[in-house]
Amino acid sequence: MTAQTTLVLGANTVITQERCTVEFTTSDSLRFGQQLGLLWLPLNEQRKAVCSPAYLHESKDWAKLDNRDTPREWQLDLPDLFDVQGVSFLQLIAYTYQEPTLNLPAVELHKVSLTLNGGAIHYDFLASERHVKAAIVFEIYKRNGQFKCRALGESSTQGLASLEQRVQVSLDIRPPDTHALIQEAQQQQRGSSNSDTRTPRQVQAGETWTGTAFAIDEYHLLTCYHVIESAAMIGVRQQGQPDREAQVVLSDIGSDSAIIRVSDPLPCHLPLAQQCSDILGETITTLGFPLSGLSSQLQVTQGCISGLTGLSDDIRYMQFTAPIQPGSSGSPLLLPTGEVIGMVTASLVHEHAQNMNYAVKFQLLSALLASAGISLDSAAHGSNATTAPLTTPQLSKQSRGALWLVGCQG
């Protein structure tokens, strides 16, 4: 029988099984997946996010769960994550679910027990203070060809907000029930359209769908994660330009954003807004390729910023009134100065409301670019930004060269 290694805070040891299991439990009456969440966060050498995390409500190929309804064990594919995807550190974070629109009783994180590979390694995290809302409890890394793990205990009474800025990725800390309700509402609105669904895409070989992307420097474009999800091949098209194949550089499902890259220089690009205040009610213009099966021409719509948060007061998004349709996902929201204030991601229809459209905020788009090592200074250099407000025809003429129809094939 293999002896058990019990870790204390700060201690590390070798993981002998590269495709390992991590069993997790907690104390008292709290349950993972109901009051408490877990996520695996992949980081690079600079401890910035490499790709989107694995959650209890959203597992990954490299981090699978034994049971989504009553989860108790992760199965990790460490070679795939570290050797193929270039991860340097993998951190396990425990946190309490937060839903600002619900009157939930106060929940605190007290104890998390971890057991690796059927008992080979054990660690008990104990919160050292009261009112802990989140904690980095465990870390896996690779040194000298060996996978190792380290017991951690960095806790926070403020949740994951500070961690998001440090690792430059948005984190979804809403309860799974809320997450599922939002996805259901989105799916009902989008109907059978494959191009705008946030649930995992199940595609057939050869199946095609479209969306919109906009250039942010000579070689990179921004679009939505759900546009390029499950695509075996991605291409971009613009009238008067040769078709180009694109590759995914970085994607983040939490903010529904992705960066794609082409090999030949793009003719022009758009600048991201750097700082904005008091934008509620500001006029915006969208340019995109909705309903491309009916027309492949660029379409322009106009509206205003009608809300500064998304569904359930989600601060990652803003609400706007410009009309959009399936295929608009990935379209930029442009200020009258030509700056991108957001990116179209979703639209909801309710019998008592209209124009409930949502966009990813420019701050998250900036963070995604920084995570990919794309300088915001270089992205703005030589762009079409102006200090004087433009009319809608002027804005359309100035910006249209940066807009591309995205075509995906499964």
Side-chain angles (χ1 to χ4, degrees):
M1 181 177 178
T2 304
Q4 183 183 77
T5 299
T6 300
L7 297 178
V8 296
L9 184 63
N12 62 75
T13 190
V14 174
I15 301 175
T16 57
Q17 293 179 243
E18 296 183 343
R19 289 173 175 80
C20 69
T21 60
V22 181
E23 185 178 349
F24 52 92
T25 57
T26 187
S27 58
D28 305 324
S29 60
L30 301 181
R31 291 187 179 183
F32 283 109
Q34 294 185 12
Q35 296 93 356
L36 302 178
L38 281 179
L39 66 87
W40 288 101
L41 181 60
L43 304 172
N44 60 18
E45 281 289 350
Q46 291 72 44
R47 293 188 178 273
K48 305 298 182 185
V50 175
C51 55
S52 59
Y55 300 90
L56 293 179
H57 66 267
E58 186 180 288
S59 59
K60 304 288 186 181
D61 289 341
W62 48 267
K64 298 180 179 178
L65 286 165
D66 59 336
N67 187 319
R68 179 168 173 173
D69 295 328
T70 55
R72 292 183 57 87
E73 184 180 273
W74 293 96
Q75 296 93 40
L76 302 179
D77 188 341
L78 299 181
D80 175 65
L81 196 60
F82 284 78
D83 301 337
V84 177
Q85 300 192 45
V87 170
S88 298
F89 302 94
L90 180 63
Q91 291 187 338
L92 180 62
I93 301 171
Y95 58 97
T96 61
Y97 288 129
Q98 297 180 27
E99 176 51 83
T101 63
L102 298 179
N103 184 23
L104 296 177
V107 176
E108 299 179 15
L109 185 63
H110 174 60
K111 179 180 179 180
V112 178
S113 297
L114 303 175
T115 302
L116 273 69
N117 295 332
I121 302 169
H122 184 82
Y123 172 53
D124 287 328
F125 162 80
L126 293 172
S128 59
E129 56 184 329
R130 295 187 62 190
H131 310 302
V132 169
K133 298 297 184 183
I136 305 174
V137 300
F138 201 67
E139 181 176 74
I140 297 175
Y141 58 101
K142 191 172 185 180
R143 289 291 181 270
N144 301 320
Q146 290 184 311
F147 288 105
K148 296 185 176 183
C149 61
R150 180 185 293 118
L152 301 178
E154 181 182 343
S155 60
S156 169
T157 60
Q158 304 300 315
L160 297 179
S162 60
L163 179 65
E164 286 185 312
Q165 297 208 354
R166 188 197 316 169
V167 302
Q168 297 182 340
V169 69
S170 58
L171 301 174
D172 187 353
I173 57 176
R174 295 168 296 181
D177 288 347
T178 299
H179 195 269
L181 287 172
I182 291 173
Q183 285 190 334
E184 182 181 356
Q186 290 173 325
Q187 193 170 17
Q188 288 176 353
Q189 155 61 13
R190 292 162 182 154
S192 60
S193 169
N194 281 331
S195 61
D196 285 330
T197 177
R198 293 289 295 274
T199 53
R201 188 192 306 277
Q202 303 296 325
V203 300
Q204 302 293 324
E207 182 180 345
T208 61
W209 61 94
T210 65
T212 301
F214 60 94
I216 42 82
D217 70 8
E218 283 191 315
Y219 295 96
H220 297 93
L221 304 98
L222 281 168
T223 189
C224 288
Y225 170 85
H226 74 258
V227 170
I228 52 88
E229 180 188 8
S230 302
M233 182 177 296
I234 304 170
V236 295
R237 171 175 293 181
Q238 185 185 101
Q239 190 172 9
Q241 292 283 334
D243 292 355
R244 304 161 192 247
E245 187 173 349
Q247 304 294 329
V248 178
V249 174
L250 186 64
S251 61
D252 175 33
I253 193 172
S255 62
D256 192 25
S257 305
I259 304 170
I260 57 177
R261 177 184 171 88
V262 294
S263 56
D264 295 323
L266 299 164
C268 68
H269 53 276
L270 301 177
L272 284 183
Q274 297 302 303
Q275 55 182 3
C276 291
S277 60
D278 197 22
I279 59 173
L280 188 63
E282 178 68 77
T283 298
I284 53 92
T285 301
T286 67
L287 295 89
F289 297 92
L291 303 174
S292 64
L294 301 178
S295 172
S296 61
Q297 297 296 310
L298 183 68
Q299 297 188 33
V300 180
T301 61
Q302 196 171 35
C304 71
I305 296 174
S306 55
L308 299 181
T309 58
L311 286 163
S312 301
D313 292 328
D314 193 330
I315 62 172
R316 294 173 295 181
Y317 306 101
M318 64 177 67
Q319 186 175 339
F320 65 96
T321 63
I324 60 172
Q325 293 85 29
S328 296
S329 293
S331 299
L333 261 61
L334 297 176
L335 294 173
T337 57
E339 296 174 296
V340 177
I341 193 70
M343 180 176 69
V344 175
T345 178
S347 177
L348 297 182
V349 171
H350 189 276
E351 60 179 340
H352 301 302
Q354 294 181 343
N355 288 332
M356 296 180 66
N357 306 322
Y358 298 95
V360 186
K361 289 181 177 177
F362 72 94
Q363 293 95 331
L364 293 185
L365 300 177
S366 297
L368 190 70
L369 294 174
S371 297
I374 299 173
S375 168
L376 295 180
D377 292 336
S378 65
H381 179 71
S383 65
N384 292 325
T386 178
T387 55
L390 301 173
T391 65
T392 302
Q394 288 173 331
L395 192 59
S396 172
K397 183 177 180 180
Q398 174 179 283
S399 306
R400 68 182 63 176
L403 272 292
W404 295 77
L405 172 66
V406 180
C408 298
Q409 181 174 316

